[in-house]
Amino acid sequence: MKKLLGGMIILVLGVLGLDIGLHALISPAALQLRVARILQAQTGLQMKVEKSGFQFLPWPAFRFEGVTLARPGCRPLATAQRIQGDIAFMPLLKREISLHELKTHDVWINAAPQGQTDQAQCGWAAPMVASAAPVSAQASAGQPVQGPGSGPVLSVLSSSAPQRLRAWWKFSLDSLRMNGTRVQWGAQPDNAPAPAAVQDFGVVPATLLLDHVQVTSLQSASPWLEASGRHSGVPFSLKGHVGPWAAFLPGNAGNTAPWAFSLDGQAGKSAGERATLEGHFADVAALAGLHMSLQGQVQSGEELGHLLAVPALAHGQVGLQGLKGSLLLTEQEGAQGEGAGFLQRLRQLPSRMAPSKVKLSLARLVLPAPSGARGLWPAHEVLTGNGLQLGAPAATAPLTLDGAVQFQPETAQQAGPDPWAFQMKFASLQQAAAAWRILTGQPDTVAQGTVGVSLNAHQGDKGRLQLTGNVGLPTDVRVALVAPQLGEIVHDFDGQGQVKLTRADAPGGLSVSVDGLTFRSREASGTGTGAVQHLLHPHPALNMTLNFSTLDGTALWDGWRHLQDAPQSALGKPADASASPAAAGPAGSESAGSGKPWRRFLQDWTATGHLAAATLKLPEVTYQDVVADFRSGDGRLVIDPLSARLDGTPLSGSLALQLGPQGVHFDLKAAPLAVPAGLVLEGLGWGDLVQGTLRLAGQVSGQGHDVRQAVGSLNGTMGFGVVDGRLDGHLLAPLAGPAAGLVKVKPTLGLRCLAARTSFHEGAGSLNGLVLQAGHFLVTGKGTFAPGGAVDFSLQPHIRVAGTQISAPVQLKGTWDRPEISLSGGSAAGAAGMNGGPSGGVHQLDIGGAPAETDHCRDGLQAALGMVPPLSPAHEGGHGGQEGLLRALGIGSGK
C-alpha cells in the first residue's frame, strides 16, 4: 500500500513537474508571433491577439482570444472572438505540434470593405506588404527551418530554452471547425463585428451567414468539407472532397500532383437549386491549370438571386425558370494574373477561364423594359423567352442558341403577339468566348478578335430578322429587319443597314457606326448614316444624317401621345394628376429633374446632325423641303438653320436651348415659321380654341422649368397669324354683347384670319393690331396681359351684313380663365336698342354706314408677319332683316 501511494505521489509530482517545465519552455507569445509571421508572409495580413494561453493538463491545448486581421494602417478585414485547438501529446515528443481540431467561434469577415482611406491597399487583394525571410537568412539567424515536403515549422519555445530544443518544431492540423461565421460586403466596421441580421444586398451591406463549416482529414490526400448557412434568408449547403491543404504551403510549391475537388451543393427552402462542381488545379499554390465542370439545375430565379446577391433576380424584375445543364471551363493557355500574391491570383481567376463545352436549357426567361427604353419598348409589356437552348460540344465546334421570344403583357391576362422563333450560330465556342471577353473589356485579352455569326428569326409570315457578319473587335454585321411593329410608335417597318464597332486608342475608345441605312414604314421612309465616337467615355460624340422622303409627324405624334396617356400606375404615378388646363398639356408639368433622358443627353453628349425631309406631315400642316441642322453639348442645343416651304412660301428660323439652374433657357427666331396651332395651344393648356396653321415672325426668349414659367418670363417681340382655319364658336358668343343671351352658337366657325403682334417684357405683354375675322364677324383691338393671367383688352367687334356694318365697343378684363366682358362707352349716334330701347341705352349697338373697303386681314397679317400668306376672299354680306343679321353671324336665333 505504501509503495502504491508512493508511486502515485511520484507520478503526480512528475506530471506537475512536466507541466511546469513545459510552461517554462513553451511560450504562448512565441507561438503567437510565429503564426503571425507565417500569416503575414503568405498573405501580407497582420494578426493581433488580445489574449493567448497554453495548457498541458488535462490535455495540451492553446487558445487565442480577440483575434484581428488587417492590412497595416487599415481597418480590420476579419475578427474572431476565439480560436482554440487541442494538441496531441505523443507528437510533442517528436517536436511536432499536431492539432486534432482547430475551432473558431464568432468569426466576422469583411469580404468587400468600403470607406477605407486607401481602398487599393486595404482590401483582401491588396499587394503584399510583408514577406517571409529567405531560408538562408532564417538559418543564419538560428531560426527554425522548414524541410522540403514537411508542414510549417514553428518556434514555440521561449528564448530561455536551449537552441537545440528551439529548432525543427513541425505543425500539423487534422480538422477545422468554424461556428457562427459572418461574411459581409460593404461594411465599414470599427473593432466590433457587424450586426448578425440578414440584410438585402444592394440596399445595405449584405451578410452571408455560415452556421457551420467543418473540414476533416486534413492530413489526407482528399479532405472532406461540409458547410451550411444562409444568405438573405435562403438556406444552402455544400459538401464534398477537396485536395490536400499542404499543397498551399511554400515547402510544397514544387509538387506537381493535381489538386482535385468534387463538391455538391443545394439551396432553397425546397432544395430545388442543385449544383455539382468537379475539377482540378495543376498547380493549386499558383492557382494555375484549372479544369472544372459545373452541372446543375435552378427551379426558381428569385431564391438564386438572393443567394448570389443579384437584385434583378431576387426582386423578380428578371424571371428565370427551369435552368439546367452543364458547363466545362478550362483556364486559357498563356493566361497569367497580375502580381504574385495568392489573393490577387484568386481574384483574377474567373477572367482567365474560358468555356470548352456548353449545354444549357432554359424553360422561361422574362426581361422587363430597360431604363430609358420607353417608346421603343411596348408599354406595360415584358420580353419573354421560351425553350431557350445554348450548346457547343467542343471549344472548336459552333455555338448555337435557339428558342422563341415574344412581348407579353405584364399581367399575363392577355395573349401577346406571335412569338419570334430564332436560331443564332457562332463560328466556334472558343471564338465566341474570346469576342465576349473583348467586348466586355476583361483584362488579359487581346485588342482585336472576332467570331463569325449568323442570326435568322421569323414571326410566322409577319416578320423576319437576319444578321450576318463578324462580332467582336472590330464588329461588322449586316442587319435586315421586317416587323409589323417596333415599340408603340412605328408600324410595318422594313429596313436594313451595316453596323460596325471599332476600337480607337483615344479615351473611351469604342466607336459604333451605321452605314447604308434604308428604311420605310407607315410613318416614315428614307436613308441615313450615323456614328458614335468614344462610346465608353463620359461624353460620347454623335454624328448623324437622316434624309426622309416622307415623314408622317401626325402619326408619330399620335403614337407618342397615346404612349403618354397610357396608365402610369406601373411607373408609380397617380392616375389623377392635376386636372388644371395648364397641367393637362404634355409639357405643362415638365419638371427640371436631371433624370430626364433628353436632359442627360444634352449634358453628357456632344452631337451634330443633319435632318432633311422632302415631305413632313404634322397635324393641319404639310411642309416641303424641310432642313434642320443641329449641334449640342455642355447642356446646349442649337437648331440652325431650320427651313422649309409651306404652300410655296419659304420658312426659316432657329432655336437655341440651354440647361441652367433656373430651368431651360430658350431663344426662338422665326422669319417666319409655321406650326400647327392646335399643338401650340394644347401645350399651353388652352384646348382647341383655334385650329389651323399658326405663322410666327419675330424673336422671343425665356426660361423656366415648365411651360407656365417659360411663358411668364418671355422677352422680345413676336407676330402671329392664322389663315383659313377654324375657331371655337363659344369664343365669339360673349362678344355679341346685348344679344349674347338671345343666340345659340355653332361649335366651330370658319376663321378667315387671326393676326396680332405682341411685345413681351418678363412675361408681361402688349398686343397691338389684333384682327380676327370669322364669317361676317370681325374683331379689331389691342390690349395688355400680365404674367399672372390678368388681361385688359379694348375690342371693337363688327358685323358686316346686308351692306351695313354693326359694331359695339367691348372691354375685356379679368383673367384668361375667367374673362369679364362689358360694353364700353362709345358713340351712340345712329344707335338703336335691339328691343326698341332708346338710343344710347344699355343695349348699345352702332348700326349704319357702309363698311370701309379696307381688308383688315391683309393689313393685320402684313403688320404681324411682314407678309401676307395666301388668303381666301372676304365673305360678302347678304340681305335680310334682324333674323338675317343673326344668321349671317353663323349663329341661330332661338330656333
Side-chain angles (χ1 to χ4, degrees), residues 72-450:
C74 299
R75 292 176 177 175
L77 290 173
T79 63
Q81 184 181 29
R82 185 172 71 255
I83 300 176
Q84 65 185 53
D86 298 333
I87 304 174
F89 175 75
M90 295 305 295
L92 288 175
L93 303 178
K94 302 177 183 179
R95 299 195 184 105
E96 179 180 350
I97 297 179
S98 178
L99 297 182
H100 173 68
E101 185 176 57
L102 181 66
K103 298 179 182 179
T104 67
H105 300 271
D106 294 333
V107 176
W108 173 82
I109 300 172
N110 190 0
Q114 301 291 330
Q116 301 282 10
T117 304
D118 189 346
Q119 186 67 33
Q121 300 295 326
C122 290
W124 285 100
M128 300 281 286
V129 296
S131 61
V135 173
S136 59
Q138 294 178 4
S140 63
Q143 297 180 5
V145 181
Q146 180 174 345
S150 65
V153 175
L154 297 176
S155 175
V156 300
L157 303 185
S158 66
S159 59
S160 61
Q163 176 65 34
R164 178 175 58 84
L165 295 178
R166 286 192 284 127
W168 294 101
W169 280 77
K170 296 173 57 179
F171 176 80
S172 63
L173 175 65
D174 185 62
S175 67
L176 170 67
R177 181 189 296 269
M178 303 178 68
N179 297 318
T181 301
R182 296 187 295 273
V183 183
Q184 192 163 11
W185 286 265
Q188 301 184 35
D190 294 318
N191 291 330
V198 176
Q199 311 192 45
D200 291 333
F201 184 82
V203 180
V204 291
T207 302
L208 173 67
L209 303 178
L210 295 174
D211 300 320
H212 170 75
V213 177
Q214 185 172 12
V215 186
T216 58
S217 304
L218 279 169
Q219 295 301 310
S220 69
S222 183
W224 177 258
L225 168 67
E226 287 188 14
S228 62
R230 292 163 290 147
H231 185 246
S232 296
V234 179
F236 67 90
S237 63
L238 183 69
K239 62 182 178 179
H241 288 280
V242 295
W245 81 292
F248 293 96
L249 302 176
N252 294 328
N255 191 353
T256 58
W259 194 87
F261 55 89
S262 177
L263 300 169
D264 291 321
Q266 63 183 32
K269 297 179 180 179
S270 61
E273 283 63 62
R274 298 175 178 270
T276 299
L277 181 65
E278 296 179 331
H280 68 270
F281 284 94
D283 183 358
V284 69
L287 293 180
L290 174 60
H291 297 262
M292 59 177 285
S293 65
L294 174 65
Q295 57 183 350
Q297 65 178 30
V298 176
Q299 293 182 355
S300 170
E302 291 192 16
E303 287 191 326
L304 182 66
H306 284 293
L307 185 63
L308 300 181
V310 181
L313 279 175
H315 301 152
Q317 297 167 341
V318 174
L320 186 150
Q321 297 177 2
L323 172 64
K324 61 182 179 180
S326 61
L327 180 65
L328 184 63
L329 298 170
T330 304
E331 187 175 4
Q332 300 177 92
E333 294 183 5
Q336 296 180 353
E338 300 176 0
F342 180 84
L343 294 175
Q344 291 95 318
R345 295 193 299 270
L346 181 62
R347 182 185 61 175
Q348 297 155 6
L349 183 60
S351 66
R352 304 202 304 268
M353 302 303 295
S356 54
K357 183 179 179 180
V358 176
K359 185 179 180 180
L360 298 174
S361 64
L362 180 59
R364 182 176 175 82
L365 176 67
V366 179
L367 298 175
S371 176
R374 194 178 185 194
L376 302 176
W377 192 284
H380 307 297
E381 292 191 5
V382 294
L383 179 65
T384 63
N386 297 288
L388 303 178
Q389 304 279 341
L390 178 67
T396 57
L399 174 66
T400 60
L401 172 64
D402 56 67
V405 296
Q406 67 181 131
F407 285 102
Q408 290 184 322
E410 292 175 340
T411 58
Q413 296 178 352
Q414 302 176 357
D418 295 338
W420 285 76
F422 72 93
Q423 183 180 63
M424 194 171 190
K425 186 175 182 180
F426 297 90
S428 74
L429 172 61
Q430 187 178 49
Q431 292 178 340
W436 173 258
R437 288 166 52 80
I438 293 172
L439 290 175
T440 55
Q442 297 185 28
D444 306 321
T445 56
V446 296
Q448 303 290 319
T450 62

